[in-house]
Amino acid sequence: MKLSFVLATAISSFFVSSTTGFGFSGQAQALTFTGISNATWGNPTPGLSDTNPIYTGVGSNTFTWGQANLSAGLPNKLTSNGTSFSADINSVFKIADLTYFNGKIVPDTGIEFVPLNLNVSFSPPVGISQVFDLNLRLVNTPNDLKDPEKSADLVFLDTNSSNRSFTFGSNKYILELTGFNLDGRQISIKAFEEATTTTAIYAKIKNIPEPAPVVGLSLLGIYLISRKNFWKKKY
């Protein structure tokens, strides 16, 4: 085998692979994702002080927690509804609606974390369905009759939740949560005592590029091995 032929083959293969990779990348950038989401709540996790956690709604779109401290009172409640969407790569879009009611509850009957499972059905050409796990942290503050601001409770969105990647064709993607508003700067919401806050959860879909240099390094390795064998035979 001639050394020049090996080198030419490696270089040619590298450029073909690179061009193909760029082609796939271009297709991914041009893709528009459309579909619909459906939201259900998972099993919650109590905090250290929640010695008697009370909750309802696992497997449904409405979740309540805590025991109302008055006979006529209501517990805390989260309601999430899915939505239809249409989004290009890296564009922010609404993936679900969220309503939060802050009730007055007995302190040790609350919880600290609750997962929200988003079942996303992508329309053709993607045509797949996948469940993405979100995680919400619930902060129940002690009530202060003199200061409504201090009595407000909070819900935090964990933007680093796992299980949000999927594959279409030869490309991998990730559903990245951005927050409770379009610019991605708000990751928490609050509600005053016995009041309701309505918001939305926003996300964007990003392409996970394949590491193109790996192809080049592999071909370079083939060339170097062939070169070594060539010189061994010659001498």
Side-chain angles (χ1 to χ4, degrees):
M1 181 184 291
K2 292 185 178 181
L3 189 60
S4 58
F5 175 75
V6 175
L7 178 59
T9 301
I11 293 175
S12 176
S13 300
F14 173 72
F15 279 110
V16 168
S17 300
S18 298
T19 303
T20 303
F22 283 129
F24 283 140
S25 177
Q27 293 173 12
Q29 293 298 327
L31 185 62
T32 297
F33 291 91
T34 60
I36 189 169
S37 65
N38 179 50
T40 58
W41 298 100
N43 290 302
T45 301
L48 294 177
S49 62
D50 302 322
T51 55
N52 183 34
I54 296 174
Y55 55 88
T56 67
V58 173
S60 73
N61 73 322
T62 298
F63 181 81
T64 71
W65 72 99
Q67 177 184 329
N69 62 3
L70 298 173
S71 59
L74 295 172
N76 296 314
K77 182 170 68 173
L78 280 171
T79 302
S80 183
N81 292 305
T83 184
S84 59
F85 61 86
S86 178
D88 297 328
I89 293 291
N90 294 321
S91 65
V92 178
F93 64 98
K94 183 173 70 171
I95 193 67
D97 289 304
L98 188 69
T99 301
Y100 171 39
F101 172 76
N102 180 9
K104 293 182 178 180
I105 65 171
V106 178
D108 62 351
T109 63
I111 61 167
E112 188 172 4
F113 296 96
V114 62
L116 178 62
N117 305 317
L118 280 179
N119 188 344
V120 179
S121 297
F122 293 101
S123 302
V126 180
I128 62 173
S129 294
Q130 181 149 337
V131 176
F132 299 95
D133 298 332
L134 286 67
N135 201 31
L136 300 180
R137 181 182 174 219
L138 313 175
V139 178
N140 301 301
T141 61
N143 293 334
D144 187 338
L145 297 178
K146 298 180 180 179
D147 192 342
E149 190 72 33
K150 288 183 179 180
S151 300
D153 290 350
L154 301 163
V155 174
F156 286 85
L157 177 65
D158 182 4
T159 57
N160 295 314
S161 299
S162 60
N163 190 28
R164 293 203 306 272
S165 63
F166 65 98
T167 302
F168 168 60
S170 59
N171 293 295
K172 291 192 67 176
Y173 302 89
I174 185 168
L175 180 75
E176 180 181 276
L177 301 179
T178 58
F180 291 119
N181 59 359
L182 282 170
D183 63 12
R185 297 179 182 178
Q186 183 182 349
I187 61 170
S188 68
I189 57 172
K190 69 179 179 180
F192 294 108
E193 287 299 309
E194 299 184 299
T196 299
T197 295
T198 300
T199 185
I201 299 174
Y202 292 91
K204 64 181 175 180
I205 296 175
K206 298 174 63 176
N207 177 239
I208 304 175
E210 291 293 334
V214 173
V215 177
L217 289 174
S218 299
L219 293 171
L220 179 60
I222 294 173
Y223 164 67
L224 292 175
I225 292 172
S226 301
R227 185 174 184 273
K228 181 179 179 181
N229 292 336
F230 172 83
W231 287 109
K232 278 185 178 180
K233 290 179 180 179
K234 186 173 181 178
Y235 295 99

